[in-house]
Coordinates of all heavy atoms in Angstrom, one line a residue:
M1 N -12.1 -15.9 -6.4 CA -12.3 -15.8 -5.0 C -10.8 -16.1 -4.3 O -10.6 -15.5 -3.4 CB -13.3 -16.9 -4.5 CG -13.5 -17.0 -3.0 SD -14.3 -15.5 -2.5 CE -15.9 -15.8 -2.6
E2 N -10.2 -17.0 -4.9 CA -8.8 -17.4 -4.5 C -7.9 -16.2 -4.5 O -7.1 -15.9 -3.5 CB -8.2 -18.5 -5.2 CG -7.0 -19.2 -4.6 CD -6.6 -20.3 -5.4 OE1 -7.4 -21.2 -5.6 OE2 -5.4 -20.4 -5.7
R3 N -8.0 -15.4 -5.5 CA -7.2 -14.1 -5.6 C -7.6 -13.2 -4.4 O -6.6 -12.5 -3.9 CB -7.4 -13.5 -7.0 CG -6.6 -12.2 -7.1 CD -5.2 -12.5 -7.5 NE -4.5 -11.1 -7.7 CZ -3.2 -11.0 -7.6 NH1 -2.3 -11.9 -7.3 NH2 -2.7 -9.9 -7.9
D4 N -8.8 -13.1 -4.2 CA -9.3 -12.2 -3.0 C -8.9 -12.7 -1.8 O -8.3 -11.8 -1.0 CB -10.8 -12.0 -3.0 CG -11.5 -11.4 -4.3 OD1 -10.7 -10.6 -4.9 OD2 -12.6 -11.5 -4.5
A5 N -8.7 -13.9 -1.5 CA -8.2 -14.5 -0.2 C -6.8 -14.1 -0.2 O -6.1 -13.8 0.9 CB -8.5 -15.9 0.0
Y6 N -6.0 -14.3 -1.3 CA -4.5 -14.0 -1.2 C -4.3 -12.6 -1.1 O -3.5 -12.2 -0.2 CB -4.0 -14.4 -2.7 CG -2.6 -13.8 -3.0 CD1 -1.6 -14.4 -2.4 CD2 -2.4 -12.7 -3.7 CE1 -0.1 -14.0 -2.5 CE2 -1.0 -12.3 -3.9 CZ 0.1 -12.9 -3.3 OH 1.3 -12.3 -3.5
L7 N -5.0 -11.6 -1.7 CA -4.8 -10.2 -1.6 C -5.1 -9.7 -0.1 O -4.3 -9.1 0.5 CB -5.7 -9.5 -2.5 CG -5.3 -9.4 -4.0 CD1 -6.4 -8.7 -4.9 CD2 -4.0 -8.9 -4.2
K8 N -6.2 -10.3 0.5 CA -6.5 -10.0 1.9 C -5.4 -10.5 2.9 O -4.9 -9.7 3.7 CB -7.8 -10.6 2.2 CG -8.1 -10.3 3.7 CD -9.6 -10.9 4.0 CE -9.9 -10.3 5.5 NZ -11.1 -11.0 6.0
S9 N -4.9 -11.6 2.6 CA -3.9 -12.2 3.3 C -2.6 -11.3 3.3 O -1.9 -11.0 4.3 CB -3.6 -13.7 3.0 OG -2.4 -14.1 3.7
R10 N -2.2 -11.0 2.1 CA -1.0 -10.2 1.9 C -1.2 -8.8 2.5 O -0.2 -8.2 3.0 CB -0.6 -10.0 0.4 CG -0.1 -11.3 -0.3 CD 1.0 -11.9 0.6 NE 2.1 -11.1 0.8 CZ 2.8 -11.2 1.9 NH1 2.7 -12.1 2.9 NH2 3.9 -10.4 2.0
F11 N -2.3 -8.1 2.4 CA -2.6 -6.9 2.9 C -2.5 -6.8 4.3 O -1.8 -5.9 5.0 CB -4.0 -6.4 2.4 CG -4.3 -5.0 2.7 CD1 -3.7 -4.0 2.1 CD2 -5.2 -4.6 3.7 CE1 -3.9 -2.6 2.4 CE2 -5.5 -3.3 3.9 CZ -4.8 -2.3 3.4
E12 N -3.1 -7.8 5.0 CA -3.1 -7.8 6.4 C -1.6 -8.2 7.0 O -1.2 -7.6 8.0 CB -4.1 -9.0 7.0 CG -5.4 -8.5 6.8 CD -6.4 -9.5 7.1 OE1 -6.2 -10.8 7.5 OE2 -7.6 -9.3 7.0
T13 N -0.9 -9.0 6.3 CA 0.5 -9.2 6.6 C 1.5 -7.9 6.5 O 2.2 -7.8 7.4 CB 1.0 -10.5 5.8 OG1 0.3 -11.6 5.9 CG2 2.4 -10.8 6.1
L14 N 1.2 -7.3 5.3 CA 2.0 -6.1 5.2 C 1.7 -5.0 6.3 O 2.6 -4.4 6.8 CB 1.7 -5.5 3.8 CG 2.3 -6.3 2.7 CD1 1.9 -5.7 1.4 CD2 3.8 -6.4 2.7
L15 N 0.4 -4.9 6.7 CA -0.1 -4.0 7.8 C 0.7 -4.3 9.0 O 1.2 -3.6 9.8 CB -1.4 -4.0 7.9 CG -2.3 -3.2 6.8 CD1 -3.7 -3.2 7.0 CD2 -1.8 -1.7 6.8
D16 N 0.6 -5.6 9.3 CA 1.3 -6.1 10.6 C 2.8 -5.9 10.6 O 3.3 -5.5 11.7 CB 1.0 -7.6 10.8 CG -0.5 -8.0 11.2 OD1 -1.2 -7.1 11.5 OD2 -0.9 -9.1 11.0
E17 N 3.4 -6.2 9.6 CA 4.9 -6.0 9.5 C 5.3 -4.6 9.4 O 6.3 -4.3 9.9 CB 5.4 -6.8 8.1 CG 5.2 -8.2 8.1 CD 5.7 -8.9 6.8 OE1 5.7 -8.1 5.8 OE2 5.8 -10.1 6.8
F18 N 4.5 -3.7 8.9 CA 4.7 -2.3 8.9 C 5.0 -1.6 10.2 O 5.8 -0.9 10.4 CB 3.5 -1.5 8.1 CG 3.7 -0.1 8.0 CD1 4.5 0.4 6.9 CD2 3.3 0.9 8.8 CE1 4.7 1.7 6.6 CE2 3.4 2.1 8.6 CZ 4.2 2.6 7.6
E19 N 4.1 -2.2 11.2 CA 4.2 -1.7 12.5 C 5.6 -1.7 13.2 O 5.9 -0.8 13.9 CB 3.2 -2.4 13.4 CG 1.7 -2.2 13.0 CD 1.3 -0.7 13.2 OE1 1.7 -0.1 14.1 OE2 0.4 -0.3 12.3
E20 N 6.2 -2.7 12.9 CA 7.7 -3.0 13.6 C 8.8 -3.1 12.7 O 9.8 -3.6 13.0 CB 7.5 -4.3 14.4 CG 6.4 -4.3 15.6 CD 6.3 -5.5 16.3 OE1 7.3 -6.2 16.3 OE2 5.2 -5.5 16.9
A21 N 8.5 -2.7 11.4 CA 9.7 -2.8 10.4 C 10.9 -1.9 10.5 O 10.8 -0.8 11.0 CB 9.1 -2.6 8.9
D22 N 12.0 -2.5 10.3 CA 13.1 -1.7 10.3 C 13.4 -1.2 8.8 O 12.4 -1.5 8.0 CB 14.4 -2.4 10.7 CG 14.8 -3.6 9.8 OD1 14.4 -3.7 8.7 OD2 15.3 -4.6 10.4
A23 N 14.4 -0.5 8.6 CA 14.5 0.3 7.2 C 14.6 -0.9 6.1 O 14.0 -0.6 5.0 CB 15.8 1.1 7.1
L24 N 15.2 -1.9 6.2 CA 15.3 -3.0 5.1 C 13.9 -3.5 5.0 O 13.5 -3.8 3.9 CB 16.3 -4.0 5.5 CG 16.6 -5.1 4.3 CD1 16.9 -4.4 3.1 CD2 17.7 -6.0 4.8
E25 N 13.3 -3.8 6.0 CA 11.9 -4.5 6.0 C 10.9 -3.6 5.4 O 10.0 -4.0 4.6 CB 11.5 -5.1 7.4 CG 12.3 -6.2 8.0 CD 12.1 -6.3 9.4 OE1 11.8 -5.3 10.2 OE2 12.3 -7.5 9.9
L26 N 11.0 -2.3 5.7 CA 10.1 -1.3 5.2 C 10.3 -1.2 3.7 O 9.3 -1.0 2.9 CB 10.4 0.0 5.9 CG 9.5 1.2 5.6 CD1 8.0 0.7 5.9 CD2 9.8 2.5 6.2
Y27 N 11.6 -1.3 3.2 CA 11.8 -1.2 1.7 C 11.0 -2.4 1.1 O 10.3 -2.3 0.1 CB 13.2 -1.3 1.5 CG 13.5 -1.3 0.0 CD1 13.6 -0.2 -0.8 CD2 13.9 -2.6 -0.6 CE1 13.9 -0.3 -2.2 CE2 14.1 -2.8 -1.9 CZ 14.0 -1.6 -2.7 OH 14.3 -1.7 -4.1
D28 N 11.1 -3.7 1.6 CA 10.5 -4.8 1.1 C 8.9 -4.6 1.2 O 8.2 -5.1 0.2 CB 10.8 -6.1 1.9 CG 12.3 -6.4 1.6 OD1 13.0 -6.0 0.6 OD2 12.8 -7.2 2.4
I29 N 8.4 -4.1 2.3 CA 6.9 -3.8 2.4 C 6.5 -2.9 1.3 O 5.5 -3.0 0.5 CB 6.6 -3.3 3.8 CG1 6.8 -4.3 4.8 CG2 5.2 -2.6 3.9 CD1 6.7 -3.9 6.2
N30 N 7.3 -1.7 1.2 CA 6.9 -0.7 0.2 C 7.0 -1.2 -1.2 O 6.1 -0.9 -2.1 CB 8.0 0.4 0.2 CG 7.9 1.3 1.5 OD1 9.0 1.9 1.7 ND2 6.9 1.4 2.2
T31 N 8.0 -2.1 -1.5 CA 7.9 -2.6 -2.8 C 7.0 -3.5 -3.0 O 6.2 -3.5 -4.3 CB 9.4 -3.5 -2.9 OG1 10.5 -2.6 -2.7 CG2 9.5 -4.2 -4.3
E32 N 6.5 -4.6 -2.2 CA 5.3 -5.4 -2.6 C 4.0 -4.6 -2.5 O 3.3 -4.8 -3.3 CB 5.3 -6.5 -1.4 CG 4.2 -7.4 -1.6 CD 4.1 -8.6 -0.8 OE1 5.1 -8.7 0.1 OE2 3.3 -9.5 -0.9
A33 N 4.0 -3.5 -1.7 CA 2.7 -2.7 -1.6 C 2.5 -2.0 -3.0 O 1.5 -1.8 -3.6 CB 2.7 -1.8 -0.6
E34 N 3.6 -1.6 -3.6 CA 3.6 -0.9 -4.8 C 3.2 -1.8 -6.0 O 2.4 -1.5 -6.8 CB 5.0 -0.2 -5.1 CG 4.9 0.9 -6.1 CD 4.9 0.5 -7.7 OE1 5.6 -0.6 -7.9 OE2 4.1 1.2 -8.5
E35 N 3.7 -3.1 -6.0 CA 3.5 -4.0 -6.9 C 1.9 -4.4 -6.9 O 1.2 -4.6 -7.9 CB 4.2 -5.3 -6.7 CG 5.7 -5.1 -7.2 CD 6.5 -6.4 -6.6 OE1 6.0 -7.3 -6.2 OE2 7.7 -6.3 -6.8
L36 N 1.2 -4.4 -5.7 CA -0.2 -4.8 -5.5 C -1.2 -3.7 -5.2 O -2.1 -3.8 -5.1 CB -0.2 -5.8 -4.3 CG 0.5 -7.2 -4.5 CD1 0.6 -7.9 -3.2 CD2 -0.2 -7.9 -5.5
C37 N -0.5 -2.4 -5.3 CA -1.3 -1.2 -5.1 C -2.9 -1.3 -5.9 O -3.8 -1.2 -5.2 CB -0.6 -0.1 -5.5 SG -1.5 1.5 -5.1
G38 N -2.7 -1.4 -7.1 CA -3.9 -1.4 -7.9 C -4.8 -2.5 -7.4 O -6.1 -2.3 -7.5
D39 N -4.3 -3.7 -7.3 CA -5.1 -4.8 -6.9 C -5.7 -4.6 -5.6 O -6.9 -5.0 -5.4 CB -4.3 -6.1 -6.9 CG -3.8 -6.5 -8.2 OD1 -4.5 -6.4 -9.2 OD2 -2.7 -7.1 -8.3
F40 N -4.9 -4.0 -4.7 CA -5.5 -3.7 -3.3 C -6.7 -2.8 -3.3 O -7.7 -2.9 -2.8 CB -4.4 -3.3 -2.4 CG -3.4 -4.2 -1.8 CD1 -2.2 -3.7 -1.3 CD2 -3.7 -5.5 -1.7 CE1 -1.3 -4.6 -1.0 CE2 -2.8 -6.4 -1.2 CZ -1.5 -5.9 -0.8
L41 N -6.5 -1.8 -4.1 CA -7.5 -0.6 -4.4 C -8.7 -1.3 -5.1 O -9.9 -1.0 -4.5 CB -7.0 0.5 -5.1 CG -5.9 1.3 -4.4 CD1 -5.3 2.3 -5.4 CD2 -6.5 1.9 -3.1
K42 N -8.6 -2.0 -6.1 CA -9.7 -2.7 -6.8 C -10.5 -3.7 -5.9 O -11.6 -3.8 -6.1 CB -9.4 -3.4 -8.0 CG -8.9 -2.3 -9.1 CD -8.3 -3.1 -10.3 CE -7.6 -1.9 -11.3 NZ -6.7 -2.6 -12.2
A43 N -9.8 -4.2 -4.9 CA -10.4 -5.3 -4.0 C -11.1 -4.6 -2.9 O -11.8 -5.3 -2.2 CB -9.3 -6.2 -3.5
G44 N -11.0 -3.2 -2.8 CA -11.8 -2.5 -1.8 C -11.0 -2.2 -0.5 O -11.8 -1.7 0.5
F45 N -9.8 -2.5 -0.5 CA -9.0 -2.2 0.8 C -9.0 -0.7 1.0 O -9.0 0.2 0.0 CB -7.7 -2.8 0.7 CG -7.8 -4.3 0.7 CD1 -7.0 -4.9 -0.3 CD2 -8.4 -5.0 1.6 CE1 -7.2 -6.4 -0.4 CE2 -8.6 -6.5 1.5 CZ -7.9 -7.1 0.5
D46 N -8.9 -0.3 2.2 CA -8.8 1.2 2.7 C -7.7 1.8 1.9 O -6.5 1.5 2.2 CB -8.6 1.1 4.2 CG -8.8 2.6 4.7 OD1 -8.0 3.5 4.1 OD2 -9.3 2.9 5.6
A47 N -8.1 2.9 1.1 CA -6.9 3.6 0.2 C -6.0 4.3 1.2 O -4.8 4.5 0.8 CB -7.7 4.5 -0.6
D48 N -6.4 4.7 2.3 CA -5.4 5.4 3.2 C -4.5 4.4 3.8 O -3.3 4.7 3.9 CB -6.2 6.1 4.4 CG -6.9 7.4 4.0 OD1 -6.3 8.2 3.2 OD2 -8.0 7.6 4.4
L49 N -4.9 3.1 4.1 CA -3.9 2.2 4.4 C -3.0 1.7 3.4 O -1.8 1.5 3.7 CB -4.7 1.1 5.1 CG -5.4 1.2 6.3 CD1 -6.1 0.1 6.8 CD2 -4.5 1.8 7.5
V50 N -3.5 1.6 2.2 CA -2.7 1.3 1.0 C -1.5 2.5 0.8 O -0.4 2.2 0.6 CB -3.5 1.1 -0.3 CG1 -2.6 0.9 -1.5 CG2 -4.5 0.0 -0.2
A51 N -2.0 3.7 0.9 CA -1.1 4.7 0.7 C 0.0 4.7 1.9 O 1.2 5.0 1.6 CB -1.8 6.0 0.8
M52 N -0.4 4.3 3.1 CA 0.6 4.3 4.2 C 1.7 3.1 3.9 O 2.8 3.4 4.3 CB -0.1 3.9 5.5 CG 0.7 3.6 6.7 SD -0.2 3.2 8.1 CE -0.4 1.5 7.7
L53 N 1.2 2.1 3.3 CA 2.3 1.1 3.0 C 3.2 1.4 1.9 O 4.2 0.8 1.7 CB 1.5 -0.2 2.6 CG 0.6 -0.9 3.6 CD1 -0.2 -2.0 3.1 CD2 1.5 -1.3 4.7
L54 N 3.0 2.5 1.1 CA 3.8 2.8 -0.1 C 4.9 3.8 0.3 O 4.7 4.6 1.3 CB 2.9 3.5 -1.1 CG 1.9 2.7 -1.8 CD1 1.0 3.6 -2.7 CD2 2.5 1.5 -2.6
A55 N 6.0 3.7 -0.4 CA 7.1 4.8 -0.2 C 6.5 6.1 -0.7 O 5.6 6.1 -1.6 CB 8.3 4.3 -1.0
P56 N 7.0 7.2 -0.2 CA 6.5 8.5 -0.6 C 6.4 8.7 -2.2 O 5.5 9.2 -2.7 CB 7.4 9.5 0.1 CG 7.9 8.8 1.2 CD 8.0 7.3 0.9
D57 N 7.6 8.2 -2.8 CA 7.6 8.3 -4.4 C 6.6 7.7 -5.0 O 5.9 8.0 -6.1 CB 9.1 7.9 -4.8 CG 10.2 8.7 -4.5 OD1 9.9 9.9 -4.1 OD2 11.2 8.3 -4.7
D58 N 6.1 6.4 -4.4 CA 5.1 5.6 -5.0 C 3.8 6.2 -4.7 O 2.7 6.1 -5.5 CB 5.2 4.2 -4.4 CG 6.3 3.4 -4.8 OD1 7.0 3.7 -6.0 OD2 6.9 2.6 -4.1
V59 N 3.6 6.9 -3.6 CA 2.4 7.6 -3.4 C 2.2 8.7 -4.4 O 1.1 8.9 -4.9 CB 2.3 8.3 -2.0 CG1 1.1 9.1 -1.8 CG2 2.4 7.2 -0.8
V60 N 3.2 9.5 -4.7 CA 3.2 10.5 -5.8 C 2.8 9.8 -7.1 O 1.9 10.3 -7.8 CB 4.4 11.3 -5.9 CG1 4.5 12.1 -7.1 CG2 4.7 12.0 -4.5
R61 N 3.4 8.6 -7.4 CA 3.3 8.0 -8.7 C 1.8 7.5 -8.8 O 1.1 7.5 -9.9 CB 4.2 6.8 -8.7 CG 4.2 6.1 -10.0 CD 5.1 5.0 -10.3 NE 6.5 5.5 -10.1 CZ 7.4 5.2 -8.9 NH1 6.8 4.5 -8.0 NH2 8.4 5.6 -8.8
H62 N 1.1 7.1 -7.7 CA -0.2 6.5 -7.7 C -1.2 7.5 -7.1 O -2.4 7.1 -6.8 CB -0.2 5.2 -6.9 CG 0.6 4.1 -7.6 ND1 0.1 3.4 -8.6 CD2 1.9 3.7 -7.2 CE1 1.0 2.4 -8.9 NE2 2.1 2.6 -8.1
Y63 N -0.8 8.8 -7.0 CA -1.7 9.8 -6.3 C -3.0 9.8 -6.8 O -4.0 9.7 -6.1 CB -1.0 11.1 -6.4 CG -1.9 12.3 -5.8 CD1 -1.7 12.4 -4.3 CD2 -2.7 13.1 -6.4 CE1 -2.4 13.3 -3.7 CE2 -3.4 14.0 -5.9 CZ -3.4 14.2 -4.5 OH -4.1 15.1 -3.8
D64 N -3.1 9.9 -8.1 CA -4.6 10.1 -8.7 C -5.4 8.8 -8.4 O -6.6 8.9 -8.0 CB -4.6 10.3 -10.2 CG -4.0 11.7 -10.6 OD1 -4.2 12.7 -9.8 OD2 -3.4 11.8 -11.6
E65 N -4.9 7.7 -8.5 CA -5.6 6.4 -8.3 C -6.0 6.2 -6.8 O -7.0 6.0 -6.6 CB -4.7 5.2 -8.8 CG -5.3 4.0 -8.6 CD -4.5 2.8 -9.1 OE1 -3.3 2.9 -9.1 OE2 -5.0 1.6 -9.4
L66 N -5.0 6.7 -5.9 CA -5.3 6.5 -4.6 C -6.4 7.4 -4.2 O -7.4 7.2 -3.5 CB -4.0 6.9 -3.7 CG -3.0 5.8 -3.8 CD1 -1.5 6.5 -3.3 CD2 -3.4 4.6 -2.8
V67 N -6.3 8.6 -4.7 CA -7.4 9.7 -4.4 C -8.9 9.2 -4.9 O -9.8 9.4 -4.2 CB -7.0 11.1 -4.8 CG1 -8.1 12.1 -4.7 CG2 -5.8 11.6 -4.0
D68 N -8.7 8.6 -6.1 CA -10.0 8.3 -6.7 C -10.6 7.1 -5.8 O -11.8 7.0 -5.9 CB -9.7 7.6 -8.1 CG -9.5 8.8 -9.1 OD1 -9.7 9.9 -8.9 OD2 -9.0 8.5 -10.3
Y69 N -9.9 6.4 -5.2 CA -10.4 5.4 -4.3 C -10.6 5.8 -2.9 O -10.9 5.0 -2.0 CB -9.5 4.1 -4.3 CG -9.7 3.2 -5.6 CD1 -9.0 3.4 -6.8 CD2 -10.7 2.2 -5.5 CE1 -9.1 2.6 -7.7 CE2 -10.9 1.5 -6.6 CZ -10.0 1.6 -7.7 OH -10.3 0.8 -8.8
G70 N -10.4 7.1 -2.7 CA -10.8 7.7 -1.4 C -9.7 8.1 -0.4 O -10.0 8.5 0.6
A71 N -8.5 7.9 -0.8 CA -7.4 8.2 0.1 C -7.3 9.7 0.4 O -7.6 10.6 -0.6 CB -6.1 7.9 -0.5
T72 N -7.0 10.2 1.6 CA -6.8 11.7 1.9 C -5.3 11.7 2.1 O -4.8 11.4 3.1 CB -7.6 12.0 3.1 OG1 -7.2 11.1 4.1 CG2 -9.1 12.0 2.9
I73 N -4.6 12.3 1.2 CA -3.2 12.6 1.1 C -2.9 14.0 1.3 O -3.3 14.8 0.4 CB -2.6 11.8 -0.2 CG1 -2.9 10.3 -0.2 CG2 -1.0 12.0 -0.2 CD1 -2.7 9.7 -1.5
D74 N -2.1 14.2 2.2 CA -1.6 15.7 2.4 C -0.2 15.8 1.8 O 0.7 15.1 2.1 CB -1.4 15.9 4.0 CG -1.0 17.3 4.3 OD1 -0.8 18.1 3.3 OD2 -0.9 17.6 5.3
I75 N -0.2 16.5 0.7 CA 1.1 16.7 0.0 C 2.2 17.0 0.8 O 3.3 16.7 0.7 CB 0.8 17.6 -1.3 CG1 -0.1 16.9 -2.2 CG2 2.1 18.0 -2.0 CD1 0.5 15.8 -3.0
E76 N 1.9 17.9 1.8 CA 3.0 18.4 2.7 C 3.7 17.2 3.4 O 4.9 17.3 3.6 CB 2.3 19.2 3.8 CG 1.6 20.5 3.3 CD 2.7 21.5 2.7 OE1 3.7 21.6 3.3 OE2 2.4 22.1 1.7
D77 N 3.0 16.1 3.6 CA 3.6 14.9 4.2 C 4.6 14.3 3.3 O 5.5 13.5 3.8 CB 2.6 13.9 4.7 CG 1.8 14.5 5.8 OD1 2.3 15.4 6.6 OD2 0.6 13.9 6.0
L78 N 4.5 14.4 2.0 CA 5.2 13.7 1.0 C 6.6 14.5 0.7 O 7.4 13.9 0.2 CB 4.4 13.6 -0.3 CG 3.2 12.7 -0.2 CD1 2.5 12.6 -1.5 CD2 3.6 11.2 0.3
V79 N 6.6 15.7 1.0 CA 7.8 16.5 0.8 C 8.8 16.5 1.8 O 8.7 16.3 2.9 CB 7.4 18.1 0.6 CG1 8.5 18.9 -0.1 CG2 6.2 18.2 -0.3

């Protein structure tokens, strides 16, 4: 239960920070989101929002997993 609360807190914080992030902050958000990507998906967070938090290279790396959890990813947006 404690892990779920931590994940929810981190996910919500990353989403909030994403809105106003500069390039350096965005890098930090992308890095943390990539580290927690699998945990976020397994915890049931919106796969499209998880994908949004990731850098394009990380979306490609986790593409199958993201799609399996319901993300709708347009490959054209990644190129």
Side-chain angles (χ1 to χ4, degrees):
M1 185 64 89
E2 192 174 310
R3 177 75 173 160
D4 291 341
Y6 167 77
L7 290 173
K8 182 176 182 188
S9 172
R10 291 310 307 146
F11 187 70
E12 290 174 353
T13 298
L14 291 174
L15 286 174
D16 289 343
E17 291 173 351
F18 183 83
E19 295 296 320
E20 298 178 20
D22 63 25
L24 183 58
E25 292 166 331
L26 188 56
Y27 175 82
D28 291 339
I29 291 167
N30 295 155
T31 299
E32 184 172 356
E34 200 277 328
E35 290 172 5
L36 295 172
C37 177
D39 293 330
F40 285 158
L41 294 171
K42 289 174 190 163
F45 299 122
D46 186 312
D48 285 320
L49 293 177
V50 174
M52 179 186 75
L53 294 172
L54 296 171
D57 289 349
D58 294 330
V59 172
V60 171
R61 188 177 302 105
H62 294 280
Y63 180 83
D64 291 334
E65 184 178 21
L66 289 162
V67 170
D68 287 347
Y69 279 92
T72 52
I73 299 168
D74 185 356
I75 290 296
E76 298 289 325
D77 291 339
L78 299 176
V79 187

